[in-house]
Amino acid sequence: MSHPLPYDHARTDALPRMIYYAHTASRPDGSQDSNHDHWQLLASADPANPGHLEAVAKLAAEFAGAFGAADWARLAGLWHDLGKYSVEFQSYLCAAGGAEAHLEERPEISAKVDHSTAGAQHAARELKPFGPLLAYLIAGHHAGLPNGQDATTACLDERLRKIIPSCATAPSTLLTPGFTSARPPGHALTSGYALGFFLRLGFSALVDADWLDTEAFMSPGKAAARTRQPQPSLRALRDCLDAHLARFAAPATPVLRARADVLAACRAAATQSPGLFSLTVPTGGGKTLSSLAFALEHALRHGLERIIYVLPFTSIIEQNAAVFREVFASLGSDVVVEHHSNLDPDAAHVTAPSRLATENWDARLIVTTNVQFFESLHAAKPSACRKLHRLARSVIILDEAQTLPLTLLQPCLRALQELAGRDPRGNSHYAASVVLCTATQPAVEQRHDFKSGLRGVREIISDRTQLFSTLRRVRVTDLGRTPLSDSDLAIRLATNPQALCIVNTRRHAAELFARLPADGTRRHLSALMCPAHRTVVLGDPRHPAPGTIRHALKNNLPCRVVTTQLIEAGVDVDFPVVYRALAGLDSIAQAAGRCNREGRLPALGETFVFTPEHPIPKGFLRKSADSAAEILPLHSADPIGPAAIEAFFRLHYWKNEDQTDAKQIFACFPPLQNEASFFGFRFKDCAERFRFIDSNYQAVLVPYGDQGRDLIDELRATYDPAGQRDLARRLQRYVVQIPEPVMRQHLGRGLSFLHERFLILDDDGAYSKDLGLQLVTDRLYDPEQLIVS
């Protein structure tokens, strides 16, 4: 239904004045009204009743004020929807109604309505020389940050040349608001990457402000759910953690005393000024809660606003989040906000406010993945960038920092340097602190032979050598480079009541598992099992069910586990004996961290490094294994000690510095030479290049268990992309990633597409209760590194 154009008929002059609207919402009964009672003003002269532009400007300035860009964001907010002052847009709004008139990312809408180009053109004209920079934000606030120049009409250069409807009726108070001197801060003008980073955070402030104000008008119930319960203060979280830690008895063993020393060092270091820190603690040294204690105390002392805990793998996020929820149980179930693809939306701790908080990280404690964190920092889409302004004035804990992929290492480190860096006068860029937690430092700090490393990192542990010695609970023995056959390896595993074996490929894990006695004591874990399946096999960290790995370990029952590297980097299991196929020395150290983790054995645990009879996959995994093979004979006394780790990283990472920007992320942001340089930025290209996971993998939905089958049946019955996002989210726990060649080979023969979008496993017999997805293929396709979002 169309509506007449809105005019102010109360005016006494000859022509009535047109009233301009930003959005129109439906009545409670779903109908549209012709009296414009459910329409939002575009601008207003009444400060008590601001229009959309004033409200967005105010919110965006508040968000960007955290990093000294309030005026910059305020202008973006005032100008982002100037295109809605055209008669064409107002006519379209009256004809279309509803939320769709706001969404230019839908091609069928944007072809009719372009309301973002006008503000971009105005910014480019009004602000010299920095107007084109603000234009990136405004032009992209729906469709995403564009490239400055490319062969398409969507690039900024073409948008600024585009002929658009006139918005001359916009009030002069908006067009020239009295301050047009907004410019990027000095630190943002030191390089192309720094300026692109600043623009992306400014874009985040604009997008979040725009979406929040639109939501408040269009979906007041959803907006109210965000603030249904006030967030606990950081002081309340700190006091809760202190009370939890105080319940532990006085440390009676060397391991417990060492953990207490780590905690004390973290609390003492929290008084230091914000910036870059490292926390180098061997596996099992208690760095999870100690780093959280540092973060909370540090935030309170320096006025920071939230804690963001970044982990490398989804396989350990649920474990760490469960620990945090136990600590903060008295403050409510949704204090800890998890943001990752493996999140179960039906879990008791997932509430409406916590689910909404994943959109913009408006929470005190967020737990997320490397993929989510770093890909968002290099993204172009509004939904991915929306949360980024929350990184300012935050404490960011990066766990297992050594797991960052070599080919993206430089841009990852540069992003951290931007967040926590300071200019020559000591002024903070974004007032954030970053803590690099790892058991295998040094890896990412700047040195003479690794110039792209992080500068100004302060180590929290004063005597790392002594700490490593005190916490040594494992003897690592290298079995040499003669391949160990699977049959001999299976015999070795079978002679130990409890043993863990970590191999490099999913196929090797399955074949070795088949060689173990089928007596009920063998277990298998790999990425061929969906997340829900792996969770069941592994068991709950606190209350494991009988038959799970953790239950067997807790009750000293026989348990022999064959797995891929997904169990490394923080999964809380404790075996007396571990076998690790040759890999990077950092991976070997992580494997050793699953051995005698709690120091309960009367002697040292045993970890054996062996050369597998299966070839090590090419690429990063083989290169790191080759480097380890060179280092191991030189440090046989302590192959995972600080000296060996430093030698490994010098050989493997530092001497391959030319590969640390292999995807040419920095090339998307060329050096700043003059105003023309501003059009050289390629935000869209950067987002497409920056991927932790290669895109040649396809997600398959598998019918694991009753819930998996029921969810797929529900999906078969009906699917509405707009109305069933929760269903799609729940299905994430029943996904297995397979290479596209394997998908093509089995499409129509066990695999099929549902609703032209979801790849489904039709053959229940192809999913094993022990091994997960078992598709017969002509070739071996294995990921060289398990990194999932």
Side-chain angles (χ1 to χ4, degrees), residues 43 79 147 187 307 342 376 385 461 488 604 648 658 697 734:
W79 294 345
N147 290 338
H187 68 79
I307 315 300
N342 198 22
S376 294
C385 293
I461 303 300
D488 288 343
L604 294 175
F648 169 75
D658 59 334
Y697 275 75
Y734 299 89

Side-chain angles (χ1 to χ4, degrees), residues 139 155 213 272 477 574 603 784:
C155 72
D213 185 68
Q272 297 183 44
T477 302
D574 190 352
E784 294 176 0

Side-chain angles (χ1 to χ4, degrees), residues 35-82:
N35 295 321
H36 307 102
D37 292 334
H38 294 82
W39 294 52
Q40 184 185 28
L41 291 171
L42 186 53
S44 170
D46 181 5
N49 183 32
H52 178 63
L53 296 181
E54 293 99 346
V56 172
K58 181 179 178 181
L59 262 182
E62 176 186 328
F63 294 155
F67 49 95
D71 283 352
W72 183 265
R74 186 178 291 110
L75 283 177
L78 287 175
W79 294 345
H80 78 288
D81 275 356
L82 282 183

Side-chain angles (χ1 to χ4, degrees), residues 244 465 617:
H244 175 84
T465 302

Side-chain angles (χ1 to χ4, degrees), residues 342-404:
N342 198 22
L343 179 64
D344 181 1
D346 295 325
H349 63 270
V350 179
T351 64
S354 68
R355 190 179 299 114
L356 291 171
T358 63
E359 297 176 355
N360 66 350
W361 286 6
D362 185 12
R364 297 297 185 197
L365 178 57
I366 299 106
V367 184
T368 189
T369 59
N370 281 348
V371 173
Q372 184 65 240
F373 182 80
F374 285 106
E375 287 193 358
S376 294
L377 278 170
H378 296 85
K381 290 183 178 180
S383 57
C385 293
R386 181 181 176 183
K387 56 188 169 287
L388 294 179
H389 68 91
R390 306 282 182 185
L391 300 182
R393 306 200 65 78
S394 294
V395 183
I396 301 159
I397 303 172
L398 187 67
D399 201 13
E400 307 300 346
Q402 79 285 346
T403 60
L404 296 176

Side-chain angles (χ1 to χ4, degrees), residues 235-313:
R235 187 172 300 278
L237 267 67
R238 192 273 311 272
D239 293 345
C240 213
L241 176 60
D242 288 349
H244 175 84
L245 294 171
R247 290 201 300 267
F248 291 102
T253 68
V255 169
L256 293 179
R257 284 193 292 271
R259 290 176 180 171
D261 290 342
V262 170
L263 176 60
C266 286
R267 284 172 166 162
T271 62
Q272 297 183 44
S273 61
L276 287 162
F277 297 87
S278 61
L279 178 60
T280 310
V281 177
T283 301
K287 65 179 182 292
T288 298
L289 289 183
S290 293
S291 62
L292 184 59
F294 167 89
L296 288 170
E297 186 63 37
H298 186 69
L300 284 170
R301 284 182 174 267
H302 301 288
L304 308 186
E305 298 174 0
R306 63 187 48 81
I307 315 300
I308 301 171
Y309 213 102
V310 186
L311 296 156
F313 308 111

